[in-house]
Amino acid sequence: VQLQASGGGLVQAGGSLRLSCAASGLTSGGYTMGWFRQAPGKVHEFVAAIGLSDGRPYIADSVKGRFTVSRDNAKNTGVLQMNSLKRNDTAVYYCATTRSTYWRASTYDYWGQGTQVTVSS
């Protein structure tokens, strides 16, 4: 399984960014694609997840109302839309897949390479 994340960058506070994650090599169903972020000196923080089969979304309270998650099953791609970005959203964002507990990083089997999101004031 390979996950290719894209879409990070530098944005001013209040702006928006859209992250995509294309998954290849998923041989069967039941996967959830999750998004985590890691700021310097901190552990992975759950941000959002979506069932690739049923499309059910999960959003962390810290970003609820600002971030949304969706998927394009035809392309096995997950999308994290981030609006009203704040400086403390600055982190490296990772996509990953699991067939288990969606909010726990340790349950994810495959990870993308990470993409930097920097929010300036």
Side-chain angles (χ1 to χ4, degrees):
V1 175
Q2 289 190 326
L3 301 175
Q4 182 68 44
S6 61
L10 173 65
V11 65
Q12 285 190 326
S16 297
L17 281 175
R18 179 183 170 98
L19 305 183
S20 295
C21 180
S24 59
L26 295 176
T27 57
S28 57
Y31 283 96
T32 295
M33 179 177 286
W35 294 90
F36 290 80
R37 64 187 182 186
Q38 188 173 27
K42 296 190 176 181
V43 299
H44 282 95
E45 176 191 5
F46 170 73
V47 176
I50 189 160
L52 290 179
S53 297
D54 61 10
R56 181 175 179 179
Y58 307 90
I59 303 289
D61 288 343
S62 59
V63 301
K64 196 167 289 182
R66 300 188 296 121
F67 292 12
T68 59
V69 62
S70 61
R71 93 312 192 198
D72 180 346
N73 256 10
K75 300 179 180 179
N76 247 0
T77 297
V79 176
L80 182 68
Q81 178 67 42
M82 306 184 293
N83 299 325
S84 303
L85 283 160
K86 304 176 181 179
R87 288 196 65 188
N88 62 6
D89 292 320
T90 296
V92 177
Y93 284 70
Y94 297 88
C95 60
T97 55
T98 183
R99 282 176 164 170
S100 185
T101 309
Y102 68 87
W103 49 266
R104 186 178 292 167
S106 61
T107 70
Y108 282 74
D109 302 306
Y110 304 102
W111 290 78
Q113 81 278 17
T115 184
Q116 177 71 45
V117 171
T118 303
V119 184
S120 64
S121 59

